[in-house]
Amino acid sequence: MTTMDICYCVLILAGAFCLVALGVLFIRTSTAIKQTGDTVEMAQDTLKRVDKVLDDVNYKLDLLNAPVETVAKFFDPQRPKFNPLKMMMSFIKKK
């Protein structure tokens, strides 16, 4: 074998090694991309569940808001004070 033949053999072996390495890299990359897609799907499902829970919490807070506002009106310093004399006068004026 001549020196050129040895160089060709080394180049062919290096090329074959590169092709095998690229194949392994592509296989691992495709696996990682598949796992990433699965993770994204799981995250979307989780976000849908969280959104449903938040909607439920908002609905329940809206239901609780009416009684809280009623109690808050009772303690509001700007509300008109109860005056029994004024109330009686208003009844008399209406008749």
Side-chain angles (χ1 to χ4, degrees), residues 40-79:
V40 167
E41 282 183 26
M42 289 172 41
Q44 287 175 343
D45 290 340
T46 304
L47 287 175
K48 285 179 187 176
R49 290 180 186 148
V50 167
D51 191 34
K52 185 177 177 182
V53 168
L54 286 177
D55 286 343
D56 190 40
V57 167
N58 282 334
Y59 173 72
K60 289 178 181 174
L61 285 175
D62 287 341
L63 289 179
L64 288 174
N65 196 21
V68 170
E69 284 182 2
T70 304
V71 172
K73 285 180 187 175
F74 181 73
F75 293 105
D76 186 19
Q78 301 297 327
R79 73 177 173 91

Side-chain angles (χ1 to χ4, degrees), residues 80-93:
K81 304 293 184 221
F82 178 70
N83 190 346
L85 184 61
K86 192 173 186 180
M87 184 181 72
M88 295 301 246
M89 293 298 291
S90 68
F91 283 137
I92 293 171
K93 287 182 182 179

Side-chain angles (χ1 to χ4, degrees), residues 27-38:
I27 289 172
R28 289 193 181 213
T29 303
S30 69
T31 304
I33 289 173
K34 184 179 180 288
Q35 288 176 348
T36 303
D38 293 341

Side-chain angles (χ1 to χ4, degrees), residues 9-30:
C9 287
V10 169
L11 282 175
I12 290 171
L13 288 174
F17 179 76
C18 272
L19 288 176
V20 169
L22 278 174
V24 170
L25 176 72
F26 288 150
I27 289 172
R28 289 193 181 213
T29 303
S30 69

